[in-house]
Amino acid sequence: MIKSELVQRIAEHNPHLYQRDVENIVNAILEEIVAALARGDRVELRGFGAFSVKHRPARAGRNPRTGAHVPVDQKSVPFFKTGKEMRERLNRDNPDPGAAD
């Protein structure tokens, strides 16, 4: 699902809201999550999951084409950990495909 599909679904479930208002709400939520992560904060949405920032230290990498060693700068990457309720729902709705019938 892409953002425009999310906006459309929310607008369909809430006919009293204009689609442009739903789009503004979705954009505001996503922008606030990004801003919080940029400040180094953690964002937790109960039942859904938690967004945080992981810091990766500088390291020596390798160019796969030439094999030459190259320095890789330190960086911060976003990290998402699913909430317990979401994990349980996903596992309940999608039984193990490797299980015998």
Side-chain angles (χ1 to χ4, degrees):
M1 174 181 290
I2 59 175
K3 186 165 66 168
S4 61
E5 292 171 339
L6 175 64
V7 168
Q8 185 177 354
R9 285 219 183 145
I10 293 172
E12 288 171 0
H13 290 290
N14 297 281
H16 60 284
L17 296 174
Y18 292 112
Q19 186 165 343
R20 69 176 181 270
D21 293 336
V22 172
E23 186 173 0
N24 288 338
I25 292 167
V26 169
N27 286 335
I29 291 169
L30 296 177
E31 287 172 12
E32 191 56 38
I33 290 172
V34 170
L37 292 175
R39 289 191 305 266
D41 294 341
R42 181 174 183 268
V43 178
E44 182 177 336
L45 304 171
R46 295 282 169 135
F48 183 72
F51 297 90
S52 60
V53 177
K54 296 237 178 187
H55 301 284
R56 294 194 179 156
R59 62 183 174 85
R62 190 179 65 83
N63 182 330
R65 183 173 295 179
T66 64
H69 290 281
V70 293
V72 177
D73 294 336
Q74 69 177 10
K75 58 183 158 187
S76 299
V77 293
F79 178 75
F80 177 74
K81 181 178 179 185
T82 58
K84 180 180 177 184
E85 186 178 320
M86 179 191 283
R87 267 192 314 275
E88 289 173 352
R89 186 170 178 183
L90 289 174
N91 289 320
R92 182 184 67 227
D93 292 347
N94 297 319
D96 184 12
D101 290 345

